[in-house]
Amino acid sequence: MAAITLPSVDLGFDNLRDRMARFTEGFDEFIERGRKRLLEEKNEFARNMAEDKEIQRTLRQNLDTFKEKESQIQEKVEKEDIEVGEAERTIADMKRKKQMRDEHKETLMAQIKETQETIRKRRTVRAAERKALSSQSSRNAPELAFWEDYLGMRIDGAGTADHLKIVYTHILDNDWNREFYFVVSMMHRDYEVVKCRPELDMENLSEVVERLNETREFSIFLKEMRQLFKSAAVGDGR
């Protein structure tokens, strides 16, 4: 029996192998590219992590620096607050002292003004008295000359402004040249006998001076003073 010859069928195995080979090659390339990309991404991630760590380290260092600076600034602020408080207290104390000085100055100025006014009034009174005394002296010049001769006296300077020295002689019959004198002060409105030689009884002297200040009769006062010296010299009690 003769053999049966089957028809030849082309199933395309060669083509399939080529395609499978190309697919495998393409897949391998895809895998390789994916591996490379993963490796690059891994390396990139590692670099990013390293950079992040460096950034974190830098940030921590900066944070520590900022904290230290903040602490220094806080200390400085506290110190400045203390200094400001002390300065404010000093200023307040200076203002208080200035106010006290101003008030004291106002008081002194008021006292000075009052004293100046008092001095002005006194000078006015003294000037008026001196003018009156000068006028009276000019009118009484002949009378004074008479009293100098009659009372045996002379008027000398006492070495001090507004003071007169009245010197008497011819008081003692046995010693006409012996001098008796007193010094009268005209510094104030009321006259005052500040010195006597020899010394006189204070009560009698006070009565004579008080009468002078009441009457302003200087010629009578001179006569009474001579009588006081004469009474003291002869010891008759007056």
Side-chain angles (χ1 to χ4, degrees):
M1 183 177 177
I4 299 173
T5 303
L6 295 176
S8 177
V9 179
D10 187 4
L11 297 177
F13 287 114
D14 294 333
N15 184 37
L16 179 59
R17 280 195 302 271
D18 291 338
R19 291 175 60 190
M20 288 296 295
R22 287 195 300 273
F23 173 78
T24 299
E25 184 180 355
F27 184 76
D28 291 340
E29 292 177 358
F30 172 77
I31 294 300
E32 184 64 23
R33 287 195 301 271
R35 186 183 295 109
K36 288 181 179 180
R37 185 170 65 253
L38 289 175
L39 182 60
E40 291 175 355
E41 291 177 355
K42 181 180 179 181
N43 292 335
E44 181 68 20
F45 178 77
R47 286 194 299 271
N48 292 336
M49 287 295 294
E51 291 177 357
D52 290 343
K53 288 181 180 180
E54 181 64 23
I55 292 173
Q56 290 178 359
R57 187 183 63 80
T58 302
L59 290 175
R60 280 195 297 269
Q61 291 178 348
N62 293 339
L63 182 61
D64 293 339
T65 301
F66 292 149
K67 286 182 178 180
E68 183 178 358
K69 289 184 178 180
E70 182 182 11
S71 177
Q72 294 175 353
I73 292 173
Q74 182 65 29
E75 292 178 357
K76 185 177 181 181
V77 169
E78 292 176 355
K79 182 178 179 181
E80 290 178 350
D81 289 340
I82 294 174
E83 292 176 352
V84 169
E86 292 177 351
E88 289 177 347
R89 287 190 294 272
T90 301
I91 292 172
D93 185 59
M94 292 177 64
K95 288 182 178 179
R96 179 180 59 81
K97 290 181 179 179
K98 181 179 182 298
Q99 183 178 1
M100 292 176 62
R101 287 196 298 268
D102 291 342
E103 293 175 355
H104 184 61
K105 179 181 178 181
E106 291 178 1
T107 302
L108 289 179
M109 292 301 295
Q111 292 176 351
I112 291 173
K113 185 176 180 180
E114 182 179 356
T115 302
Q116 289 176 340
E117 181 64 18
T118 301
I119 293 174
R120 185 191 66 79
K121 291 180 179 179
R122 288 182 179 178
R123 285 179 175 175
T124 300
V125 172
R126 290 287 302 281
E129 289 182 348
R130 287 180 179 177
K131 183 177 180 181
L133 182 61
S134 177
S135 176
Q136 185 68 29
S137 297
S138 63
R139 293 194 299 269
N140 293 341
E143 182 179 358
L144 179 60
F146 166 77
W147 282 108
E148 287 180 348
D149 292 337
Y150 177 74
L151 296 177
M153 66 167 228
R154 71 177 186 272
I155 300 176
D156 294 337
T160 305
D162 296 325
H163 286 65
L164 291 179
K165 180 179 180 182
I166 311 298
V167 183
Y168 295 100
T169 57
H170 296 76
I171 288 182
L172 296 177
D173 293 337
N174 58 356
D175 189 0
W176 280 19
N177 292 325
R178 180 180 174 183
E179 294 185 349
F180 297 74
Y181 73 90
F182 68 91
V183 177
V184 60
S185 170
M186 298 180 293
M187 294 183 63
H188 307 288
R189 184 183 185 280
D190 289 343
Y191 295 101
E192 180 182 3
V193 175
V194 297
K195 186 176 182 180
C196 293
R197 290 294 182 274
E199 295 183 357
L200 298 175
D201 180 78
M202 289 302 299
E203 183 176 355
N204 294 334
L205 178 61
S206 297
E207 290 179 0
V208 172
V209 174
E210 183 176 354
R211 191 157 41 248
L212 168 64
N213 289 323
E214 290 176 354
T215 63
R216 318 301 288 184
E217 293 289 344
F218 204 78
S219 58
I220 295 177
F221 167 69
L222 294 176
K223 182 178 179 180
E224 291 181 338
M225 287 297 295
R226 178 181 177 83
Q227 186 60 43
L228 287 181
F229 279 121
K230 186 173 183 63
S231 297
V234 298
D236 62 0
R238 192 169 190 275

